[in-house]
Amino acid sequence: MTLWLTRIVPDTRSQEARRDLTGAIGMHRRIMSLYPSEAGPDPRARFGILFRTEDTPTGPHLLVQSTHEPDTSQLPDGYGTTLTRPLDALIDAIRPGLTIRYRCVASPVRKPGATTRALYNLPPVVPLTGAAADEWWQRQADQSGIKPLTHHSQPLDAARGERRPDGAEPQRIRHARTQFDGTAAIIDTDLLKAAILNGIGRGKAYGCGLLSIAPARQPQ
C-alpha cells in the first residue's frame, strides 16, 4: 500500500479557496471531493485521509495524506497549485534509534468521569491547553512509538464549522487545536507507522491528527 502526500498551495485570489480556508466543514468537503464518491459509509477512513493547514511566509499551505492518490483535477480552476508524491521512501527508512523531526496539529482532550461531569456540569470531553496538553502529547508519543527529545507546543485557533446532516438539526463542530513540534527517537517502528497511517486524537475529518516526520539533520 502506497501512502500519498499532496501539498496544495491555495491561490488567495480564488473565491473558493478563500472560503474553504475559513471553515473546517468546507475544507473537509473540498478534500473529500478529490476522492471516489462510491466509498461506503466512511470514505475518510477507507482512504486514510488526514490533512492540516499550515501558515507559511508565502501564505497558507494545505497538506493532505491518503492511501489513495487524490484527483487534484477536481479542484476548481484557479484554486491553486498542487504537488503529489508517494511517501514510500520515508516509510521504508523508519527504523529503531533513528532521530526524526515531527509535527502534529492535534486536538488534546480528556474525558471526565461520569460523576465528575455531573458534579461540575462538564461536557463529554474537555479541551486541554498548556502543560496539560503537553502531558497529553507525551502519552500520545509513547503510544506512537517515539520518545520526544525536544518539544515545543503552540495553541492554534479551533477548527470550527456547522454541519447539516440530511433531515437533522445543524450540528456545530469545534475542535481545540495545538501544534506540537520537536525531535524524537524512534522506539517502535510498527507503532509509529500505525500513528502515521491512522492519525492521532480527535477531529481527523477537520484538520487534526496528521503526524508528519522527517529524518533529523545530524550535526556536522
Side-chain angles (χ1 to χ4, degrees):
M1 177 185 64
T2 295
L3 198 60
W4 299 91
L5 182 67
T6 300
R7 181 180 293 272
I8 302 173
V9 181
D11 188 333
T12 54
R13 293 173 296 182
S14 164
Q15 182 178 353
E16 290 92 342
R18 292 197 307 272
R19 183 176 63 242
D20 291 346
L21 289 167
T22 62
I25 301 296
M27 186 60 77
H28 166 77
R29 290 173 177 163
R30 180 68 67 194
I31 290 171
M32 295 308 301
S33 73
L34 309 182
Y35 298 88
S37 57
E38 303 297 328
D42 192 351
R44 191 212 63 79
R46 176 175 175 179
F47 297 132
I49 302 168
L50 298 165
F51 75 93
R52 71 167 175 266
T53 303
E54 294 192 336
D55 290 326
T56 78
T58 59
H61 288 194
L62 182 64
L63 293 180
V64 184
Q65 179 184 284
S66 60
T67 58
H68 183 95
E69 186 174 6
D71 180 6
T72 55
S73 69
Q74 296 299 316
L75 291 172
D77 290 342
Y79 191 90
T81 61
T82 66
L83 176 65
T84 299
R85 62 184 178 89
L87 292 177
D88 295 356
L90 176 66
I91 300 301
D92 290 344
I94 292 175
R95 66 180 187 275
L98 180 68
T99 301
I100 58 171
R101 293 179 289 115
Y102 66 81
R103 171 170 291 176
C104 184
V105 171
S107 181
V109 299
R110 67 178 177 88
K111 296 181 179 181
T115 302
T116 302
R117 282 184 57 195
L119 183 63
Y120 296 101
N121 193 29
L122 297 174
V125 294
V126 177
L128 301 177
T129 58
D134 291 337
E135 292 172 2
W136 178 91
W137 172 252
Q138 180 64 63
R139 294 192 296 271
Q140 300 301 315
D142 290 343
Q143 295 168 16
S144 300
I146 58 175
K147 178 182 179 181
L149 303 174
T150 63
H151 170 75
H152 174 73
S153 62
Q154 174 185 355
L156 303 176
D157 292 340
R160 303 172 183 269
E162 187 173 86
R163 185 172 60 182
R164 296 178 177 272
D166 293 338
E169 292 293 321
Q171 300 175 355
R172 291 192 175 185
I173 302 298
R174 186 184 187 280
H175 293 285
R177 300 185 305 152
T178 300
Q179 179 172 304
F180 301 98
D181 292 279
T183 60
I186 297 175
I187 306 300
D188 188 307
T189 59
D190 290 337
L191 288 178
L192 177 55
K193 289 177 182 179
I196 292 172
L197 177 64
N198 299 318
I200 294 176
R202 303 171 67 249
K204 295 173 185 175
Y206 305 108
C208 301
L210 172 60
L211 173 62
S212 301
I213 68 168
R217 291 183 178 179
Q218 299 298 320
Q220 298 296 321

